Amino acid sequence: MSHLEVRNLSKRYGDFTALGDISLDIAEGEFVCFLGPSGCGKTTLLRAIAGLDPQSSGTIHQKGRDISALPPSKRDFGIVFQSYALFPNLTVVDNVGYGLVSRREGKAAVGRRVTELLTLVGLPDAGPKYPAQLSGGQQQRVALARALATSPGLLLLDEPLSALDARVRLRLRHEIKALQRTLGVTTIMVTHDQEEALTMADRIVVMNQGAIEQVGTPQEIYRRPATAFVADFVGSMNFLAGTLVAPDKVKVDGFTFDCTAQDGLAPGAKVALCIRPEDVRVRDLPTDIANRVAVEVAELDFVGAFCRATLKVQGTADVAMTADFSSNLIRDLGVELGRKLDVALPPDRLRVFAA
Amino acid sequence: MTLAASNRSPILRVAMSRDDLMMRLGVVLFAVVLLVIVGLPLWSLLAKAFEDRDGKFVGLANYVSYFSTPALFDSALNSLHVAAVCTLIVVPLAFFYAYALTRTVLPVRWLFQGISLIPIFAPSLLPGLALVYLFGNQGFFKGALGGPIYGFDGIVIAQIFYCFPHATLILVTALTTADARLYEAADALGASKLRVFFTVTLPGAKYGLISAALVVFTMVITDFGIAKVIGGNFNVLATDVYKQVIGQQNFSMGAVVGMVLLAPAAIAFLVDRVVQRKQVALLTARAVPLIPKPKLGRDLFFTAFCTVVAAGILVILGMAAWGSLIKYWPYNLSLTLANYDFTNFDASGWDSYFNSVEMAVGAAVFGTTLMFVGAWLNEKTREFYLMRGIVQFLAFLPMAVPGLVLGLGYIFFFNAPNNPLNFLYATMGILVVNTVAHFYTVGHLTATTALKQIDPEFESVSASLKVPVWRTFGRVTAPICLPAILDIAIYLFVNGMTTVSSVIFLYSSDTKLASVAAVNIEESGATAVAAALCIVIVITSAAVKTLHVLADRFLLGRLQAWRRR
Ligand SMILES: Nc1ncnc2c1ncn2[C@@H]1O[C@H](COP(=O)(O)OP(=O)(O)OP(=O)(O)O)[C@@H](O)[C@H]1O
Ligand SMILES: [Mg+2]
C-alpha cells in the first residue's frame, strides 16, 4: 500500500493557480524528490502535505487515513526547513529533545533518545552547544535529528541543502540518503538542483508551473524524459527542429534520421529531435551505421573532465549540436577547431517531442 | 474522468487544531480589550460632541457654535502656526545632529547621543519652567527676546527642546540604514561632496525626514504642558480643551475641540502610514553599513554644532534644576532643598511622586504583557484575517489620538453611570489603563517588529513535533524577544512618569500623579516647587533608563549566552 495518496490537489491564491490538479502516490519507505524550476509549486505542494498551507481542493491520504482537512499537529510528519528553524536560545540537546519532552517520557529516556539521534547524525559531542556556535552543515544535521526525534512516518525536507557550500552539500547528500535507508522512513525532498535529485531520489517528481510533468526513477527521467520540458530541465539536451515524415523517421533540414516509432504523433507534425551531448557517437563508426552525418567542429569548450564541442552539420544552413568528447578521444582523433569528422546519432538514444 | 470531477470538488475547509482555536479566542479577547480601552472611549467622545450640556442630541450645533466663536477658532490657527514653525526649525536641527552622530567622527559620541535624549525623560512642563526662569518677567535675560516670553516665542523654544529627541531618534535610524555601496559608487563617479549630499544622503533619508516632520507637528499640536505654562494669552487647541472641561465644565464643547484636535493628528498619522509603507520596499535591499572615516574640517564643524545644541539642552535642564534649588527667585539666590518638601505646597506631598512610580510600574507590567502577548497572537494566528485586521486597526488608532482627546473619551466612557466598568473611574487602575492605551501603538509596533524578525517556521516546527504553541511562546519566542520586551517596558515606564495630557482629567485626590501635581503647583505660582517635581521625575526616569542600558549591555549578554557566536 502506498504511504501517501494525493488526489486532484489544487491550490489557488486568488486568481493564480499555484498547483493544478496534482495526483501522486508515494510508496512506504520511498525517497521522493520534487524537482522543478523556481516558483513551480514544489514548496506549495510540500506545505499542503504538511497541512501548513492547506490545499484549496483535493484530498490527501496517509496510510489510508484521510488527512486532507487535519491541522499540522494532527498529521504524522517531521519537517526540515531551508532555514532549519532551530531554536537559537536552546542548546542542541534541547532542540533535538523539543518534541520528546512534551510526551511525558522520563527524563532519562529523553536523554538516551537524544544521544542516540545525535550519534545517528554524526554529532555526538554537539549537545551542549547553541545553534549559533555550529557550522551550517552541523545545524542542518541537528534540524534533521530534531525532525526524526519523534519517529515520524513521513519526513519532509524543503531544500535542506541549498544554504550550504558545494563540498558540504555533496557530503550531506550521501549522509541523508544513507540515514534514510537505515531508518526506512518515507521521505519527500524539495529541490531545484537536478544533480541532487538524480543522486538521492528513488523516484523524482518533475514539476513545472503547478503541474507534474513526469514521475519516474532517476534513470527513467534522464533516459526517457516524457516531455520537452523534462528533457530540457534535467541534464543537457540538443533540440533539432524537424518534421516527422514517417512514424520512425524525422527530417531535419534535408537529412532524415531514424528513430524509435512514435505513436503519439501524426506524420507531418513539427517535432523536436533530441539527443544528449554524451550520446553522440564518434569512435569506431561502422560504415552502415544509422544516422551518420558529417560535421565540423565550430567550438570547443574545456569543462574539466571532458570537452563540450559544438558541431555544425555539413550541408545544412545552421543545424548544430553539442557533443561531449573525453580528453582521450580528443587526443586520439586529433579533434580541434575546424576539424571535419563523422558522427552518428544512435536511434535508440533519440527522443522526439511535438514542437 | 478525474479532471472533470476535480473541478467540481468542493473548497476544502480545514479543521482547527486546539492551538488554532485557542489563539483565535485569544485574538477575539484581545480585540475586546482594545475596544474597551481605545475604541469605545473614542466613540463616546464622538457622540458627546453632538450633545448639549444635558446630554440631548443637538446635531452639529456644537460645531456651529465652535466655528462661529472667533476666540476658539483662532486657537486652531494658533496651533497650526506654532506647529508649522516648530517643525521647520526642529527637523533641520535634528537632521544635522543625527547626521553628525551617524556620518561623522565625533569625540564622545555617546555623550552627545545621551544628551540629545534628555528631554524624553522630562514632563513637557519642564522647558516651560526653565524659560520662565531665563526670560520671564523676573528672568535672567528678560527682554533679551525683544518682548515677553509668554506666548508664541516661549512655546516655540520650549517645543524645540521637547520635540528634538524624537526627531533625532527617527533621523538617526533613517541615516543608519544607508547603504555604503551607494557612496562608494558616487565617489567612484567623482561626484562632489555637496552633490553626493543632495543626490544620495537627502533622498536616502527622505522617509525619515517626512516621518520626523509629522511626529514633531503632531507633538506640538497635541502637547498641553508647554502651552499651559508659557502660553500666556496665546491660546492653542490643547489649552482650550482644558479650559472648556476643567474651567467651564463644558464637556460637549471640550469634546468638539477634542475632535478638532484629533483631525491634524489623524491626518499626520495617515500620511505617515502611507510613507512608511513605501519605505519597506526600500529597506529590503541588502545594504552594507556605512562607517564614517575621520575628516578634520567636517568633524570639527559638526563637533562645534553638536556642542552648541547639547549646551542648549543642558542650559534648559540646568536652569530648571538650579531654579528648583533657589530660596527666593530672583531676590535670594542662596541654595536650599526646601522646594523639594512638597507637603508644604500640595496636599498630596510626595505621595504624588509615589503614585507616579506606582502608575508607571503598573503600566509597564500590564502594558508590556498586553502588548507582547497581543502582538504575538495577532502575528501568529493562522488565517482569521478580518479579526486580525480589526485588532491591527485598534492597535494603531492610539498613535493618531492626542492624549487630551483620549483622556476626555475616558471621562465620557468610564464615568457613564450605566457602564459596568464605572468602578474603575477615579482609581489608579484607570490611570494605568489610560496610559497603556495612550502609548499602545509604539509598544505594539516594537513587539510586532521583533516577532517578524524571528523565523516564521518556529510554529510549524512545533506543530510537527506536537508541541502546543503556547509552550513554544514561553520557551522560545518570548526569551528571544526579551530585549524588545524590556524596551517596551522602559518606554511605558518613562512615558508613565512624564505624561500629563491624558491623565489630567482622570486623577482623584488619592491618585494624583507627580506630573499633574506639577501643573497644579505651577498654576498656584510656586514655580520652583514645580521645577523640583519635574527634576525628580527626570532623575527617576533617566535612572531607570540608564539601568536598562547597563542591564542590556552586561546582564543580558550573560543571561543570553546563545547570542554569542
Ligand atoms: N502566499 C502566496 N500568495 C500568492 N502567491 C503565492 C503565495 N505563496 C506562493 N505563491 C506563488 O505560488 C507559486 C509557487 O510557489 P512555491 O513557493 O511553491 O515555489 P517553489 O517551487 O518552492 O519555488 P522555489 O524553488 O523558488 O522555492 C509561485 O509562483 C509563488 O509566487
Ligand atoms: Mg520553495
Side-chain angles (χ1 to χ4, degrees):
Chain A
M1 187 183 66
S2 45
H3 181 91
L4 202 69
E5 286 172 27
V6 176
R7 288 290 171 274
N8 307 116
L9 201 79
S10 294
K11 173 80 183 178
R12 283 174 292 274
Y13 291 108
D15 286 342
F16 176 74
T17 304
L19 291 177
D21 204 37
I22 300 269
S23 294
L24 181 68
D25 284 292
I26 292 173
E28 186 69 50
E30 205 177 11
F31 193 125
V32 170
C33 276
F34 293 170
L35 175 67
S38 188
C40 70
K42 310 177 292 281
T43 301
T44 308
L45 180 53
L46 193 81
R47 292 178 72 88
I49 291 171
L52 295 169
D53 289 320
Q55 67 276 19
S56 312
S57 62
T59 60
I60 305 173
H61 285 75
Q62 187 176 19
K63 287 190 161 170
R65 185 170 75 123
D66 186 353
I67 59 166
S68 319
L70 294 183
S73 56
K74 292 267 163 32
R75 302 187 185 195
D76 175 25
F77 69 96
I79 190 163
V80 175
F81 293 98
Q82 189 175 351
S83 65
Y84 313 144
L86 290 176
F87 304 126
N89 63 324
L90 302 184
T91 59
V92 168
V93 166
D94 289 341
N95 262 289
V96 175
Y98 198 77
L100 300 172
V101 174
S102 64
R103 301 207 302 183
R104 302 189 177 282
E105 293 173 30
K107 229 184 169 151
V110 170
R112 272 199 307 278
R113 174 82 177 133
V114 171
T115 315
E116 182 188 314
L117 285 159
L118 285 178
T119 315
L120 193 66
V121 297
L123 291 172
D125 305 322
K129 291 191 179 163
Y130 288 104
Q133 296 161 341
L134 301 177
S135 71
Q138 291 170 327
Q139 290 183 22
Q140 151 39 251
R141 288 183 236 198
V142 174
L144 199 60
R146 182 179 64 182
L148 290 169
T150 51
S151 310
L154 177 64
L155 181 62
L156 304 176
L157 312 168
D158 190 356
E159 310 223 7
L161 304 178
S162 65
L164 302 171
D165 63 50
R167 253 171 198 289
V168 183
R169 194 148 62 196
L170 278 183
R171 203 178 61 226
L172 272 174
R173 260 187 213 168
H174 294 292
E175 288 183 14
I176 292 179
K177 179 68 196 168
L179 191 65
Q180 190 268 342
R181 241 185 231 136
T182 328
L183 299 177
V185 56
T186 312
T187 302
I188 302 176
M189 184 173 96
V190 163
T191 179
H192 59 245
D193 180 337
Q194 40 155 315
E195 220 178 282
E196 210 164 279
L198 290 171
T199 51
M200 294 175 79
D202 296 326
R203 274 197 309 156
I204 297 176
V205 177
V206 184
M207 296 177 64
N208 183 30
Q209 298 189 347
I212 293 180
E213 291 273 339
Q214 184 176 7
V215 182
T217 64
Q219 291 284 340
E220 287 166 351
I221 298 282
Y222 193 81
R223 282 286 149 229
R224 288 193 298 282
T227 65
F229 173 83
V230 177
D232 192 27
F233 187 73
V234 180
S236 311
M237 185 68 92
N238 289 299
F239 284 79
L240 307 179
T243 314
L244 196 67
V245 289
D248 58 353
K249 294 210 187 316
V250 176
K251 198 164 177 183
V252 177
D253 202 358
F255 285 85
T256 303
F257 293 98
D258 291 339
C259 58
T260 49
Q262 305 294 315
D263 18 327
L265 295 164
K270 294 269 172 240
V271 295
L273 184 69
C274 295
I275 185 161
R276 297 212 181 267
E278 71 266 27
D279 287 338
V280 175
R281 257 187 87 174
V282 205
R283 262 189 220 266
D284 311 326
L285 301 180
T287 39
D288 59 341
I289 194 168
N291 299 342
R292 183 179 189 128
V293 285
V295 297
E296 179 186 337
V297 179
E299 273 174 52
L300 206 53
D301 294 326
F302 180 64
V303 198
F306 60 88
C307 281
R308 178 150 294 180
T310 305
L311 309 174
K312 277 181 67 176
V313 179
Q314 301 290 287
T316 66
D318 59 353
V319 177
M321 65 185 110
T322 58
D324 291 346
F325 294 159
S326 71
S327 314
N328 282 339
L329 187 146
I330 290 188
R331 200 181 46 237
D332 296 353
L333 298 186
V335 175
E336 58 190 11
L337 277 186
R339 167 79 198 266
K340 300 206 165 75
L341 32 99
D342 279 5
V343 299
L345 314 184
D348 62 328
R349 292 295 162 93
L350 285 174
R351 308 284 307 162
V352 178
F353 300 107
Chain B
M1 157 242 155
T2 48
L3 250 176
S6 77
N7 285 344
R8 266 178 278 118
S9 67
I11 293 291
L12 180 97
R13 286 224 147 263
V14 173
M16 271 189 282
S17 66
R18 221 178 56 198
D19 281 354
D20 288 332
L21 204 69
M22 273 174 45
M23 293 194 62
R24 286 186 184 198
L25 273 178
V27 172
V28 171
L29 198 71
F30 179 52
V32 170
V33 170
L34 282 182
L35 198 66
V36 169
I37 71 174
V38 178
L40 294 177
L42 287 175
W43 179 253
S44 312
L45 176 83
L46 197 73
K48 196 77 181 177
F50 294 105
E51 293 172 2
D52 66 7
R53 280 177 180 244
D54 302 324
K56 273 215 307 285
F57 182 80
V58 292
L60 289 172
N62 291 323
Y63 284 93
V64 172
S65 89
Y66 174 85
F67 284 104
S68 53
T69 313
L72 286 176
F73 187 62
D74 283 349
S75 312
L77 296 181
N78 285 347
S79 276
L80 290 176
H81 186 193
V82 170
V85 170
C86 289
T87 307
L88 285 179
I89 298 173
V90 172
V91 172
L93 204 65
F95 179 79
F96 286 111
Y97 203 90
Y99 185 87
L101 288 176
T102 53
R103 299 289 177 81
T104 71
V105 183
L106 287 185
V108 286
R109 180 179 171 279
W110 61 272
L111 188 64
F112 282 118
Q113 182 143 35
I115 292 175
S116 75
L117 293 179
I118 288 176
I120 288 185
F121 305 112
S124 63
L125 218 59
L126 182 139
L129 296 172
L131 288 181
V132 170
Y133 278 118
L134 288 168
F135 304 105
N137 291 336
Q138 297 172 317
F140 266 142
F141 308 106
K142 77 166 172 235
L145 295 175
I149 185 73
Y150 300 97
F152 183 83
D153 295 347
I155 296 182
V156 169
I157 299 175
Q159 290 289 6
I160 293 172
F161 173 88
Y162 177 58
C163 301
F164 180 74
H166 299 274
T168 307
L169 277 176
I170 293 171
L171 290 168
V172 163
T173 312
L175 287 168
T176 327
T177 53
D179 192 342
R181 291 172 305 178
L182 278 179
Y183 288 86
E184 282 161 13
D187 260 355
L189 293 171
S192 76
K193 292 294 159 216
L194 207 63
R195 181 125 183 270
V196 171
F197 181 82
F198 280 106
T199 54
V200 182
T201 310
L202 265 189
K206 184 171 69 187
Y207 295 116
L209 283 167
I210 296 174
S211 220
L214 292 168
V215 163
V216 172
F217 188 83
T218 312
M219 281 185 76
V220 175
I221 289 237
T222 59
D223 174 70
F224 161 74
I226 288 176
K228 177 83 180 54
V229 172
I230 201 137
N233 294 327
F234 187 82
N235 287 328
V236 293
L237 284 170
T239 45
D240 276 358
V241 178
Y242 185 71
K243 279 182 201 152
Q244 292 293 338
V245 173
I246 302 291
Q248 308 181 10
Q249 298 282 311
N250 186 348
F251 290 100
S252 300
M253 193 48 82
V256 172
V257 186
M259 294 308 295
V260 175
L261 189 58
L262 183 60
I267 292 171
F269 169 76
L270 288 180
V271 173
D272 194 45
R273 289 315 303 163
V274 173
V275 170
Q276 295 301 329
R277 194 156 299 161
K278 287 198 182 141
Q279 184 169 21
V280 175
L282 203 86
L283 278 178
T284 48
R286 202 175 280 175
V288 177
L290 186 79
I291 296 159
K293 296 183 194 68
K295 227 180 86 188
L296 194 64
R298 179 200 65 190
D299 292 345
L300 275 181
F301 171 80
F302 277 104
T303 306
F305 171 79
C306 288
T307 309
V308 171
V309 173
I313 292 172
L314 290 178
V315 162
I316 287 183
L317 180 74
M319 192 59 241
W322 189 38
S324 76
L325 292 170
I326 278 171
K327 254 201 190 117
Y328 190 43
W329 183 270
Y331 308 107
N332 181 354
L333 294 184
S334 58
L335 300 181
T336 172
L337 280 175
N339 297 320
Y340 285 80
D341 189 4
F342 305 128
T343 19
N344 295 339
F345 308 93
D346 187 69
S348 53
W350 272 85
D351 281 353
S352 67
Y353 171 74
F354 293 112
N355 283 341
S356 270
V357 173
E358 189 186 331
M359 201 282 277
V361 169
V365 172
F366 166 64
T368 308
T369 313
L370 186 68
M371 288 166 184
F372 190 75
V373 175
W376 175 76
L377 281 170
N378 217 37
E379 225 14 64
K380 299 295 180 188
T381 300
R382 283 147 43 97
E383 307 190 339
F384 211 39
Y385 299 109
L386 181 68
M387 206 63 191
R388 284 165 62 198
I390 293 174
V391 164
Q392 197 70 0
F393 172 76
L394 285 172
F396 269 93
L397 200 54
M399 185 80 119
V401 178
L404 277 177
V405 175
L406 190 66
L408 260 188
Y410 266 54
I411 306 185
F412 301 145
F413 179 66
F414 286 97
N415 199 22
N418 56 359
N419 185 338
L421 294 170
N422 187 282
F423 70 91
L424 268 177
Y425 198 69
T427 62
M428 189 55 98
I430 201 170
L431 294 177
V432 169
V433 169
N434 175 265
T435 303
V436 170
H438 183 187
F439 299 104
Y440 203 91
T441 311
V442 171
H444 179 78
L445 272 176
T446 309
T448 305
T449 310
L451 287 167
K452 277 194 197 300
Q453 278 166 355
I454 61 183
D455 197 310
E457 306 296 6
F458 284 167
E459 281 70 25
S460 309
V461 168
S462 307
S464 80
L465 294 173
K466 321 277 180 281
V467 176
V469 68
W470 52 263
R471 192 212 267 295
T472 303
F473 172 80
R475 267 195 88 190
V476 180
T477 314
I480 292 180
C481 292
L482 198 59
I485 292 175
L486 275 181
D487 280 348
I488 299 172
I490 298 299
Y491 169 81
L492 284 172
F493 180 88
V494 168
N495 279 295
M497 286 303 292
T498 57
T499 188
V500 182
S501 58
S502 76
V503 289
I504 197 143
F505 300 131
L506 299 174
Y507 69 92
S508 70
S509 53
D510 299 336
T511 61
K512 192 188 241 185
L513 301 176
S515 51
V516 175
V519 172
N520 292 344
I521 293 171
E522 195 275 337
E523 244 170 2
S524 72
T527 313
V529 185
L533 209 39
C534 288
I535 292 297
V536 175
I537 293 173
V538 173
I539 291 173
T540 308
S541 36
V544 167
K545 179 69 197 178
T546 310
L547 271 182
H548 172 218
V549 171
L550 293 179
D552 220 22
R553 188 155 305 167
F554 301 108
L555 207 63
L556 220 55
R558 203 156 298 171
L559 280 177
Q560 305 206 310
W562 52 270
R563 282 188 202 277
R564 276 198 300 271
R565 271 168 204 277

